[in-house]
Amino acid sequence: SSEYKTIVNQFMSTIPVRRFSRTVTVKQVDRIQNLAMYQSYRVKLQTMCYRETSKQGVNRSSRSQLQQLPIDRFERYPLWHATNWEVIDKILQQGFNRSFCGKNATMYGKGVYFARDASYSSHPAYAVPDSDGVQYMLACRVAVGEYCEGRKNALTPDFRDVTKKVLYDSTVGLLRDDDMASPSIYVTYHDAQAYPEYLISFKGC
């Protein structure tokens, strides 16, 4: 189907062929359907957008049109989250709980990690192969909101506004040639900040 081709192309487009000694093969793509989780995600995203459009001087009649502007700025799709078979069911049922999603890395904060490029998440240290050598990755919608550079082992993002005690929504990790407009790594600190849309099963990384 066109839906299958689109997500496979998005996955493969950020995996350089020369990086891997073997051919990367997508074995299966499953669309995730969890209405309660999706609604929680939408509420979180809309709360971020409302925060930006409810400032003084924005009237109610224009707010709905203006909300689309921060949605485009605050949401990233697809971002990639690698996992192992034992954790997949927990994510699909409970979402990205930091108790079982944030164990692999803490360099940019103690949160849940998402990558701009599938090539980063596809490393076997993150996408742990099962007994048949199959690896697993989730293509996610992520409400990144306003973000700052991450700090190792930080439990929360830094303050965005110290006087009002308002935190940034996410942190990011800048790898080689990155800038703040397009960081390689995003880290979230609230379970509802991400929604997994597709589960991709693949081999060869």
Side-chain angles (χ1 to χ4, degrees):
S1 68
S2 60
E3 183 180 21
Y4 176 89
K5 291 179 181 178
T6 297
I7 193 63
V8 170
N9 288 340
Q10 288 172 326
F11 174 75
M12 296 297 295
S13 66
T14 60
I15 296 186
V17 175
R18 287 178 296 178
R19 173 177 171 178
F20 303 107
S21 59
R22 294 177 294 167
T23 301
V24 177
T25 304
V26 174
K27 309 297 289 185
Q28 186 171 326
V29 176
D30 297 297
R31 194 174 194 278
I32 310 304
Q33 293 182 310
N34 185 323
L35 181 58
M37 193 193 307
Y38 181 74
Q39 289 175 333
S40 295
Y41 169 75
R42 291 299 300 181
V43 168
K44 183 64 177 177
L45 178 61
Q46 289 167 1
T47 299
M48 292 178 180
C49 297
Y50 183 83
R51 178 188 67 202
E52 298 302 305
T53 58
S54 61
K55 296 175 181 177
Q56 189 174 0
V58 178
N59 60 52
R60 290 182 179 274
S61 62
S62 61
R63 191 169 293 158
S64 60
Q65 288 80 12
L66 288 172
Q67 279 183 336
Q68 186 60 41
L69 297 176
I71 283 179
D72 294 339
R73 182 160 60 97
F74 288 169
E75 184 180 53
R76 297 289 186 275
Y77 176 79
L79 293 184
W80 309 96
H81 180 85
T83 186
N84 57 63
W85 179 250
E86 290 75 19
V87 174
I88 289 173
D89 281 343
K90 293 180 181 179
I91 294 176
L92 300 187
Q93 293 177 34
Q94 303 175 36
F96 291 95
N97 187 312
R98 280 185 285 170
S99 67
F100 50 78
C101 292
K103 295 181 178 180
N104 284 334
T106 60
M107 180 60 68
Y108 307 109
K110 288 188 174 181
V112 181
Y113 281 59
F114 299 89
R116 178 192 64 202
D117 302 324
S119 57
Y120 183 92
S121 294
S122 63
H123 191 284
Y126 308 125
V128 181
D130 64 15
S131 59
D132 295 318
V134 178
Q135 295 171 264
Y136 302 92
M137 195 179 306
L138 293 159
C140 308
R141 291 190 178 277
V142 183
V144 299
E146 296 285 359
Y147 54 81
C148 62
E149 285 194 64
R151 292 183 294 106
K152 188 173 183 178
N153 294 326
L155 295 175
T156 65
D158 290 336
F159 282 106
R160 180 184 174 195
D161 187 328
V162 176
T163 59
K164 296 181 179 178
K165 298 188 183 302
V166 176
L167 298 173
Y168 283 95
D169 301 299
S170 309
T171 59
V172 297
L174 302 179
L175 304 183
R176 185 177 180 180
D177 298 327
D178 280 358
D179 56 39
M180 288 298 285
S182 183
S184 290
I185 309 297
Y186 293 86
V187 187
T188 63
Y189 297 82
H190 190 287
D191 295 351
Q193 273 184 261
Y195 177 76
E197 287 218 329
Y198 296 94
L199 171 62
I200 300 170
S201 305
F202 63 100
K203 293 186 75 172
C205 292

